[in-house]
Amino acid sequence: MSDQTNTTSDRRRVVIVGAGVAGVQTAVALREQGWAGAITLLGAEPHQPYDRPPLSKAVLLGKSEGSAFEVDFDSLGIDLRLGREVTGLRPAERVLDTADGPEPYDRLVIATGAEPVVLPGSEGIPGVHLLRTLDDATRLRPVLADQHDIVVVGAGWIGAEFATAAREAGCKVTVVEAADRPLAGALPAEVAAHMVGWYADCGAELLTGARVVSLAEGSVLLDDGTRLTAGAVVVGIGARPATGWLAGTGIELAPDLSVITDERLRTSLPDVYAVGDCASFPSARYAERLLVHHWDNALQGPRTVAANIAHGEAEGPLYDPVPYFWSEQFGRFVQYAGHHAAADELLWRGDPATAAWSVCWLRQGVLVALLAVGRPRDLAQGRKLIERGARLDQRQAADPSVPLKSATV
């Protein structure tokens, strides 16, 4: 880094809004990239910054008291301010509004993540829970420990992971899903159909095509008249970008409420970046804008933001990752890489009735996405093949005994 860059950054201040994975990793990456100026990290929660994946199992089951990041903020010269909710942005003045007063910035990084979608009519009803924060998990721990009958609304990733933990704790679990299959928003029917039996295998009851009409303390009423008794109800019907505080600020939001960024994660406002669950970015690989609500995106994006801030946007890197996520549910390790929306062919590797199988999505013969159940080697190799745009020999790729890396044309 040149002396000129060092002198310039010494006089500038980066403020990061959001102390989750994306915010913390941006602060750390800025120091790794040589940023010598001030860094302020604002977290709305009072807790030390923590990782979210352990909340759905280890913290819930009492195997861990928390999942705080092992980051020495003081030694890195990062000014961490907790319990500091940001309520507005005045870009013309380069100032954030908070309950504790104005917060000026030279560079701003929005990393406010996502917030759970609330089931209409569920607010304020005793025994109804969300699972997004450490406080949520802490409130749910005694529910599992006391082995309550639990109704889970939503058979997505979070619903499946919570149902798994609840069954491990010995709870009776009923999962209610409005769609005709689990993971309806994430996977096509022909793939998700093979996951239906996982619930029964685990001892959980899955009700599909079932809509919740109303909730009351201790019960859930479905649209067919069925009333389910519930010591607790856990709602997991999705999440949306936590960007409501940006309304009227002039920052451009997409219809899905994500902050619109460019290929360097810059927003429509000068010197303002966005990263993680709250931001969507243009993917040249997939020729569409992507909003990725998964941990790996919150880990990778900060490196791009930090490099562009520290070294200047003319030389900074572009952001176009292969999306990746994983889920541990019903005794299975499920991994996904890529984006299959534009695929024109689906190829199976192994028998989906068994414990280990994979699915490849191709576009004109090129691997664009892969789902691996109990086959981590397929995922590791497939992710690299997606990155380089590899074309598959479909006959070889369909043979699960052939390493995926050996099935290219």
Side-chain angles (χ1 to χ4, degrees):
M1 182 172 62
S2 69
D3 290 340
Q4 181 179 0
T5 303
N6 192 36
T7 302
T8 301
S9 67
D10 276 341
R11 296 197 302 265
R12 295 188 180 277
R13 181 171 181 242
V14 176
V15 176
I16 303 165
V17 184
V21 177
V24 169
Q25 291 298 325
T26 298
V28 172
L30 279 165
R31 290 297 185 228
E32 291 175 344
Q33 292 287 339
W35 178 262
I39 300 174
T40 299
L41 179 61
L42 305 177
E45 295 183 54
H47 310 291
Q48 283 292 310
Y50 59 88
D51 210 359
R52 294 189 188 277
L55 298 184
S56 62
K57 189 167 185 181
V59 176
L60 269 179
L61 294 174
K63 297 177 180 178
S64 172
E65 290 304 312
S67 53
F69 295 117
E70 294 183 1
V71 175
D72 189 339
F73 295 99
D74 288 337
S75 70
L76 290 172
I78 296 169
D79 180 14
L80 175 62
R81 303 183 188 178
L82 301 174
R84 197 79 179 269
E85 184 172 0
V86 176
T87 58
L89 167 63
R90 288 177 275 154
E93 302 167 57
R94 294 185 179 242
V95 167
L96 292 164
D97 292 316
T98 80
D100 298 312
E103 196 75 56
Y105 67 86
D106 293 298
R107 301 283 189 274
L108 175 64
V109 180
I110 300 168
T112 44
E115 55 195 6
V117 175
V118 176
L119 186 67
S122 67
E123 299 94 332
I125 297 178
V128 177
H129 302 264
L130 299 168
L131 179 53
R132 182 73 184 178
T133 68
L134 179 59
D135 288 337
D136 293 335
T138 301
R139 282 189 288 267
L140 279 164
R141 277 171 66 165
V143 173
L144 269 61
D146 294 342
Q147 298 186 331
H148 285 283
D149 291 356
I150 295 176
V151 173
V152 180
V153 182
W157 300 111
I158 289 295
E161 291 180 3
F162 179 81
T164 300
R167 285 298 300 139
E168 186 174 330
C171 300
K172 178 184 175 183
V173 177
T174 302
V175 181
V176 177
E177 172 55 54
D180 61 354
R181 63 188 187 275
L183 295 170
L187 298 172
E190 59 193 308
V191 176
H194 297 286
M195 300 172 169
V196 172
W198 295 1
Y199 288 78
D201 292 345
C202 188
E205 183 178 9
L206 173 64
L207 303 178
T208 57
R211 293 185 178 275
V212 175
V213 173
S214 64
L215 297 174
E217 185 175 2
S219 69
V220 177
L221 179 64
L222 304 182
D223 58 356
D224 65 355
T226 301
R227 186 175 294 276
L228 305 172
T229 58
V233 177
V234 177
V235 178
I237 56 175
R240 62 168 62 97
T243 55
W245 65 282
L246 292 168
T249 64
I251 201 163
E252 189 177 1
L253 301 180
D256 59 16
L257 301 182
S258 64
V259 179
I260 292 176
T261 69
D262 65 8
E263 66 281 358
R264 287 189 167 87
L265 299 180
R266 299 174 294 192
T267 73
S268 58
L269 297 178
D271 298 323
V272 179
Y273 298 76
V275 65
D277 290 3
C278 68
S280 59
F281 57 90
S283 171
R285 178 180 286 106
Y286 293 107
E288 62 179 283
R289 178 166 291 276
L290 300 182
L291 173 61
V292 180
H293 279 180
H294 294 293
W295 183 87
D296 189 68
N297 178 55
L299 181 69
Q300 302 295 337
R303 299 169 187 169
T304 296
V305 170
N308 278 291
I309 290 175
H311 303 302
E313 295 162 351
E315 300 177 4
L318 307 183
Y319 191 62
D320 193 8
V322 173
Y324 166 73
F325 69 87
W326 78 95
S327 175
E328 294 183 81
Q329 52 183 269
F330 309 118
R332 294 166 172 85
F333 187 41
V334 183
Q335 296 172 281
Y336 178 95
H339 180 64
H340 66 265
D344 53 36
E345 191 165 357
L346 185 150
L347 185 149
W348 293 90
R349 279 172 60 82
D351 182 355
T354 64
W357 48 276
S358 297
V359 177
C360 298
W361 282 272
L362 310 178
R363 184 176 61 211
Q364 297 179 346
V366 174
L367 182 65
V368 294
L370 182 137
L371 174 77
V373 178
R375 291 181 65 93
R377 185 172 297 177
D378 274 5
L379 191 287
Q381 294 180 8
R383 190 177 184 183
K384 293 177 181 177
L385 296 178
I386 295 169
E387 286 176 349
R388 72 176 209 236
R391 187 176 300 275
L392 294 186
D393 179 311
Q394 296 187 30
R395 182 184 60 81
Q396 287 190 308
D399 183 347
S401 69
V402 176
L404 202 55
K405 65 182 181 181
S406 301
T408 58
V409 175

